[in-house]
């Protein structure tokens, strides 16, 4: 890609709005410089902000969006929702996974996500036997990202057992299962696939405390200790999970994790919904990221993350689309703020002094998301990758607005219709609000979903 300059009416730096301004990019799509332009200089774009990292996605679950609305006579919960997920997981074929993931990522890009951490545990054939290529399904996720232009942090998941007191998975979880040895071999396959890739990177993901024993996790973490890669884990999502952990270990999940492992900057604790004060205080000291997925957490009845206390203590967080029922970063951020309002009886709860509520949320989420993905994104600054969003200044709710008011209008009142252009590493992936390959990816994604239904 040749060097390029992006001249815009304004852009959001880490410290403030700058405009008019020019972003100078190198041939790899990284930012060389950000400079002001003369007031009367020609510009090509409106208002530009950093793209949002999506720190938690299960691509295959997009196929079940809207299919879990029939009430169970005995009551519905996260645990009954899993039964539908298992049924669909046992059917999907590699080419179908790739088609669903590629169109999903195209939709994410249209809505403002520019990078994604794929928490991938659908490893084996429907009968549970490994594919001839252990990395077959992981390769399909990577191939989808190459089709869509999404930057990916691939997180192959270690899944060894069905619960705290189990020694193996259930029959319904057979496609997920690996021993630590098999898992490390899978990661080697993934590392080979990622050689020479500049947009993607590899991490690791013990699924949860209930799915991986302490000994199994230690074995994998020790083998990967020199990699300095992102490490993600589901934690304390459901109250029942907390109770089962306490029964098995005599400790709550977050406390048990902190006691058994060296949690640091590289970790992302997904959900962390049910923490007590001691757990939160200890977790804050690790500088890890809380991975919050408000739309999925609401759909599954998980409960509220203690966002007010976490925010007030400068806790690091990012947002994810998780089950991919909804794909909008503005919805996730709005839900966090509205949750804070509903529980406190106040407004603009998550705003920092001197900044608007929307800007506070957005900037902290892009920085936390970038940390969780282990990617140099989330800021419009030299040496960061040019993952960018242009907000459409001609949209009725954005016309004539600028600065924090512009950003707040998108976050609190807007959606993807306010996005005009999206770049990943300086390449346009969305133009005039539409993904450049939407028709092709949509047709393949629709075909795969119809086959599965």
């Amino acid at each position: 890609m040749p060097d390029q300059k992006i001249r815009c009416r304004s852009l959001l730096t880490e410290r403030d709005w700058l405009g008019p301004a020019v972003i100078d990019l190198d041939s790899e799509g990284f930012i060389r410089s950000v400079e002001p332009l003369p007031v009367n200089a020609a510009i090509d774009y409106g208002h530009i902000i950093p793209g949002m990292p999506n720190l938690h996605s299960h691509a295959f679950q997009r196929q079940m969006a809207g299919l879990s609305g029939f009430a169970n006579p005995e009551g519905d919960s996260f645990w009954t929702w899993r039964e539908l997920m298992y049924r669909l997981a046992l059917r999907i074929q590699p080419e179908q996974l790739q088609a669903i993931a590629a169109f999903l990522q195209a939709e994410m890009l249209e809505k403002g996500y520019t990078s994604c951490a794929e928490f991938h545990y659908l490893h084996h054939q429907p009968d549970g036997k490994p594919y001839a290529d252990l990395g077959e399904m992981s390769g399909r996720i990577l191939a989808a990202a190459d089709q869509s232009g999404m930057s990916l942090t691939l997180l192959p998941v270690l899944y060894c057992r069905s619960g705290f007191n189990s020694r193996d998975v259930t029959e319904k979880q057979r496609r997920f299962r690996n021993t630590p040895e098999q898992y490390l071999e899978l990661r080697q396959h993934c590392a080979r696939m990622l050689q020479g890739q500049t947009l993607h990177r590899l991490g690791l993901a013990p699924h949860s405390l209930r799915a991986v024993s302490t000994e199994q996790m230690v074995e994998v973490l020790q083998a990967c200790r020199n990699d300095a890669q992102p490490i993600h884990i589901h934690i304390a999502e459901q109250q029942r999970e907390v109770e089962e952990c306490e029964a098995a270990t005599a400790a709550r999940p977050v406390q048990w994790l902190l006691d058994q492992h060296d949690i640091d900057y590289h970790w992302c604790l997904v959900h962390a919904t049910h923490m007590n004060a001691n757990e939160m205080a200890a977790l804050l000291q690790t500088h890890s990221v809380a991975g919050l997925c408000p739309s999925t957490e609401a759909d599954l009845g998980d409960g509220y993350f203690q966002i007010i206390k976490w925010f007030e203590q400068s806790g690091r967080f990012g947002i994810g689309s998780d089950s991919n029922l909804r794909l909008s970063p503005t919805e996730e951020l709005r839900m966090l703020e509205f949750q804070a309002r509903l529980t406190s009886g106040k407004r603009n709860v998550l705003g920092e002094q001197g900044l608007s509520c929307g800007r506070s949320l957005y900037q902290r989420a892009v920085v936390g998301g970038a940390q969780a993905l282990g990617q140099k994104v989330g800021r419009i600054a030299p040496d960061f990758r040019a993952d960018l969003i242009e907000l459409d200044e001609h949209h009725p709710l954005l016309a004539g607005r600028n600065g924090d008011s512009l950003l707040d209008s998108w976050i609190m009142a807007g959606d993807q219709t306010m996005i005009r252009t999206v770049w990943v590493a300086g390449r346009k992936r969305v133009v005039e609000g539409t993904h450049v390959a939407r028709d092709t990816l949509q047709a393949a994604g629709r075909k795969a979903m119809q086959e599965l239904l």
Side-chain angles (χ1 to χ4, degrees):
M1 184 181 75
D3 296 2
Q4 64 172 312
K5 296 182 185 295
I6 298 174
R7 299 174 177 84
C8 59
R9 192 170 309 284
S10 74
L11 57 83
L12 180 61
T13 71
E14 186 178 11
R15 294 185 176 181
D16 208 347
W17 290 89
L18 177 67
V22 57
I23 309 170
D24 184 22
L25 309 184
D26 66 20
S27 59
E28 297 297 320
F30 280 79
I31 299 171
R32 273 199 295 238
S33 64
V34 179
E35 302 290 344
L37 282 172
V39 174
N40 58 352
I43 61 171
D44 304 305
Y45 302 97
H47 307 283
I48 293 180
I49 60 175
M52 177 63 73
N54 180 343
L55 58 61
H56 194 63
S57 164
H58 306 294
F60 81 94
Q61 292 181 13
R62 179 61 168 172
Q63 66 181 309
M64 62 185 286
L67 296 182
S68 60
F70 293 92
N72 186 322
E74 298 178 0
D76 271 339
S77 68
F78 166 85
W79 309 96
T80 57
W81 172 89
R82 289 200 313 171
E83 296 303 312
L84 174 60
M85 183 268 286
Y86 290 153
R87 290 201 297 273
L88 292 172
L90 289 174
R91 298 182 58 195
I92 191 167
Q93 299 296 322
E95 63 277 6
Q96 294 168 330
L97 175 64
Q98 180 176 335
I100 289 170
F103 182 49
L104 167 70
Q105 293 161 4
E107 290 187 287
M108 287 181 185
L109 286 160
E110 290 178 342
K111 292 172 176 17
Y113 288 120
T114 49
S115 52
C116 179
E118 180 60 30
F119 198 97
H120 172 63
Y121 53 84
L122 195 58
H123 299 308
H124 303 307
Q125 298 181 66
D127 63 3
K129 295 178 182 178
Y131 288 97
D133 175 5
L134 277 180
E136 170 69 28
M137 296 296 265
S138 296
R140 294 292 182 160
I141 295 291
L142 288 169
D146 289 338
Q147 288 179 282
S148 69
M150 174 67 79
S151 170
L152 200 72
T153 293
L154 179 64
L155 300 168
V157 170
L158 176 64
Y159 205 121
C160 303
R161 62 183 189 179
S162 62
F164 287 97
N165 296 315
S166 302
R167 300 181 63 86
D168 204 348
V169 300
T170 67
E171 182 63 15
K172 296 173 184 177
Q173 298 164 331
R174 60 185 180 266
R175 297 191 77 174
F176 313 158
R177 181 187 183 276
N178 279 308
T179 65
E181 295 77 17
Q182 290 170 325
Y183 177 76
L184 291 170
E185 186 178 351
L186 169 62
R187 288 191 78 254
Q188 290 177 350
H189 279 248
C190 293
R192 287 194 291 270
M193 287 188 285
L194 284 165
Q195 286 181 349
Q197 291 274 9
T198 57
L199 272 187
H200 312 318
R201 71 163 304 173
L202 183 63
L204 59 147
H207 179 273
S208 58
L209 296 181
R210 67 177 184 273
V212 182
S213 72
T214 298
E215 294 74 22
Q216 290 162 335
M217 201 184 305
V218 166
E219 182 176 346
V220 167
L221 293 176
Q222 282 291 323
C224 302
R225 64 185 178 278
N226 296 323
D227 292 351
Q229 293 180 346
I231 307 170
H232 290 218
I233 186 171
H234 291 134
I235 194 84
E237 180 178 2
Q238 281 274 325
Q239 187 59 44
R240 176 173 142 184
E241 177 189 348
V242 175
E243 294 166 359
E244 291 177 351
C245 185
E246 287 182 303
T249 69
R252 296 171 61 85
V254 172
Q255 189 60 59
W256 180 254
L257 184 72
L258 292 169
D259 288 344
Q260 300 299 316
H261 305 286
D262 184 17
I263 308 304
D264 61 15
Y265 178 92
H266 297 99
W267 284 75
C268 176
L269 276 62
V270 182
H271 306 304
T273 308
H274 300 285
M275 288 189 290
N276 63 25
N278 291 336
E279 288 176 301
M280 179 177 287
L283 189 59
L284 284 162
Q285 297 302 311
T286 68
H287 304 298
S288 59
V289 175
L292 309 182
C293 309
S295 63
T296 293
E297 290 155 3
D299 179 53
L300 298 180
D302 288 344
Y304 286 146
F305 179 80
Q306 298 176 64
I307 187 61
I308 299 175
K309 293 179 180 178
W310 190 257
F311 201 91
E312 289 174 345
Q313 297 177 77
S314 300
R316 304 178 187 205
F317 72 91
I319 56 171
S321 58
D322 197 352
S323 67
N324 295 306
L325 178 69
R326 302 294 297 162
L327 303 177
S328 168
T330 58
E331 284 190 28
E332 305 297 338
L333 294 174
R334 199 156 50 226
M335 286 185 71
L336 283 177
E337 169 61 21
F338 286 177
Q339 170 195 315
R341 295 183 187 190
L342 288 168
T343 55
S344 70
K346 301 177 182 178
R347 297 190 70 256
N348 297 324
V349 181
L350 304 180
E352 297 174 282
Q353 188 170 9
L355 303 179
S356 71
C357 181
R359 180 172 162 193
S360 295
L361 276 167
Y362 196 83
Q363 288 195 301
R364 286 179 63 169
V366 293
V367 171
Q371 176 181 326
L373 267 65
Q375 298 206 31
K376 201 72 181 292
V377 296
R379 299 176 185 174
I380 304 179
D383 299 325
F384 283 78
R385 198 173 68 215
D387 288 11
L388 310 169
I389 299 169
E390 179 200 13
L391 297 177
D392 185 0
E393 61 185 339
H394 301 296
H395 189 284
L397 282 180
L398 300 185
R401 303 185 189 190
N402 53 56
D404 287 8
S405 295
L406 177 96
L407 186 58
D408 274 30
S409 296
W410 178 50
I411 294 171
M412 294 303 177
D415 53 26
Q416 74 181 82
T417 62
M418 293 182 177
I419 295 175
R420 182 170 176 238
T421 312
V422 176
W423 295 262
V424 177
R427 295 182 182 274
K428 289 184 182 178
R429 300 304 185 185
V430 173
V431 177
E432 298 297 337
T434 302
H435 190 277
V436 294
R438 169 173 262 277
D439 290 347
T440 300
L441 299 182
Q442 179 175 269
R446 181 192 298 118
K447 178 175 180 292
M449 289 192 182
Q450 289 176 333
E451 291 170 351
L452 287 162
L453 291 176

